[in-house]
Every structure is written in structure tokens, then in C-alpha cells.
Amino acid sequence: AQSVTQLGSHVSVSEGALVLLRCNYSSSVPPYLFWYVQYPNQGLQLLLKYTTGATLVKGINGFEAEFKKSETSFHLTKPSAHMSDAAEYFCAVSPSGTYKYIFGTGTRLKVLA
Amino acid sequence: DAGVIQSPRHEVTEMGQEVTLRCKPISGHDYLFWYRQTMMRGLELLIYFNNNVPIDDSGMPEDRFSAKMPNASFSTLKIQPSEPRDSAVYFCASSFGSRGPLFYEQYFGPGTRLTVT
């Protein structure tokens, strides 16, 4: 069965510091991978996705993620955190050939001034 | 485009009452998903439709829950009778299933916060 693990339910970084949010997955078939962001009292917004091709994926708001098959990871990074990045971030996996997402438990990012 | 529209945004009801949540997907999308979000269980897929047909309802918690999609622009999720443990935020999402740059991207509505007392 497919699953997603997000290490760290809460992450704090200083404004201007590197953001690293971790995501590992288990899947018996090549998956499609996603990162979503959720601001308070809002729905989820797609940040970026990996389906095929280049393993380094760039998304909105300066975020990027790298698919590493050997490590079954899809970590999200941003070189310099902004206060506006404070939100909850969800990693999701969708086994290729299905349209279902399996979400991780989320990581709440706090940005310190 | 207005995005995925959900109504109501907030619903407070008493245990035992029927609750109906509504969703209008993005025009042209042929997949529609219902999710439930709670602190304890996170985001759970309840059911999804393709071209108005339910494809997988394995996430529906019990027979008290039902979902319909009578046409491409409208879906409902009904809970009857409601119980306090149904309190959660319910999200609807839609997706365009054909190949292309938007393939596999799900677009979420703002959610309905349900409180059952």
C-alpha cells in the first residue's frame, strides 16, 4: 500500500533562512508526487508536482522539490523564507494510473522575524 | 474562472439532523473528489467521481454518508443522521483527467466547516 511520511509536524525557520520540509513515500509503482500549501481557513493550493521527466521541479512562490527515487523522497525547499510562507504544507502521492491522492499528515511552517 | 465553489462555508447542526454539503467543480473538469480533514486523521479521500460516475467510495466512513453527482457542474455529500464525530472540514476538489500540462492537478474549494453538537 502507498503511504506518505512527513517528518516534523512543526518546523520553525528564521526569515531569510533555508526552508526544508521532508517527505518520504512508499509505493510499489512509480508515483506522481505533489506538494500543496494550506493557509488558515482556506483550501489547498498546488505548489508543484512531479509526474515524469526532470527530477528537480520548480513551483510557485520560489519553492522547488527534487524527486530522488533511490531515497524515495520528495523534499520541498526554498532558499529564503518569507513571513508569508507561514502555512501548513502537505505532501501527496498518487500512484501512476490512478487519480487518487494519499496525503501526508502535514507540516506547519512557522517563520520567525 | 471562479474556482471550485462549496456551500455552505460553515454549518452547525444538532446530532441526528441531515446535513447536505454542496460543490460546484471547475467548468470542464471531469474528476471530482470529496475529502474530510480532521486533526486526528488528517486529509482523507472519501469518494471520487469521473464523468459524474462514482469510481471509488472506499473512503466513505459508513452508510450514513452518501454522495451524488447528478451533472457535471454539481455534487452533494449528505450525512444522515449526523453525529458529533462527523465534525470536520469537508473539501471538494476537481481535476482535468486528460493528458496535458494540468494533468493530475487537483484544485480545492475553500471547504465547509461542519460542527455537529
Side-chain angles (χ1 to χ4, degrees):
Chain A
Q2 290 77 27
S3 66
V4 178
T5 302
Q6 291 184 241
L7 290 176
S9 59
H10 292 81
V11 170
S12 294
V13 299
S14 298
E15 192 174 18
L18 172 72
V19 175
L20 171 60
L21 304 182
R22 299 178 186 274
C23 174
N24 289 86
Y25 69 91
S26 66
S27 178
S28 57
V29 297
Y32 296 158
L33 297 158
F34 307 82
W35 276 99
Y36 279 80
V37 60
Q38 184 180 29
Y39 297 102
N41 300 314
Q42 294 187 26
L44 280 73
Q45 179 183 4
L46 180 67
L47 278 176
L48 50 79
K49 69 178 182 183
Y50 169 79
T51 53
T52 58
T55 56
L56 182 63
V57 180
K58 295 186 184 300
I60 63 171
N61 301 339
F63 284 94
E64 62 182 38
E66 186 171 11
F67 170 57
K68 292 187 176 180
K69 185 177 178 181
S70 61
E71 298 178 8
T72 61
S73 69
F74 191 57
H75 301 331
L76 182 71
T77 61
K78 182 174 180 177
S80 177
H82 293 169
M83 298 298 290
S84 60
D85 294 328
E88 189 153 21
Y89 293 80
F90 292 91
C91 181
V93 60
S94 180
S96 58
T98 78
Y99 287 86
K100 297 171 61 170
Y101 283 10
I102 300 166
F103 280 94
T105 51
T107 297
R108 189 170 297 277
L109 176 67
K110 186 175 182 179
V111 182
L112 307 172
Chain B
D1 198 316
V4 176
I5 298 172
Q6 291 187 247
S7 64
R9 292 294 310 275
H10 301 272
E11 177 80 38
V12 180
T13 191
E14 293 184 348
M15 182 174 62
Q17 296 298 305
E18 177 179 297
V19 175
T20 299
L21 312 181
R22 297 172 176 79
C23 175
K24 176 179 170 56
I26 293 173
S27 177
H29 282 189
D30 50 357
Y31 281 83
L32 184 138
F33 306 82
W34 282 101
Y35 291 88
R36 178 171 68 175
Q37 185 178 37
T38 61
M39 290 292 292
M40 292 298 295
R41 300 176 67 90
L43 269 162
E44 304 173 278
L45 176 65
L46 300 177
I47 184 171
Y48 77 96
F49 296 82
N50 176 220
N51 291 325
N52 314 336
V53 176
I55 302 300
D56 187 339
D57 65 355
S58 60
M60 296 285 263
E62 49 197 276
D63 291 345
R64 298 184 297 106
F65 286 69
S66 63
K68 293 182 179 180
M69 192 165 186
N71 57 61
S73 59
F74 184 65
S75 177
T76 60
L77 178 68
K78 186 176 293 187
I79 308 172
Q80 166 63 20
S82 58
E83 296 182 4
R85 60 193 168 118
D86 301 331
S87 297
V89 180
Y90 291 82
F91 288 104
C92 176
S94 69
S95 179
F96 185 55
S98 299
R99 289 280 176 181
L102 302 181
F103 182 56
Y104 260 91
E105 294 181 10
Q106 292 188 19
Y107 293 84
F108 282 73
T112 296
R113 182 174 297 277
L114 174 65
T115 303
V116 183
T117 60

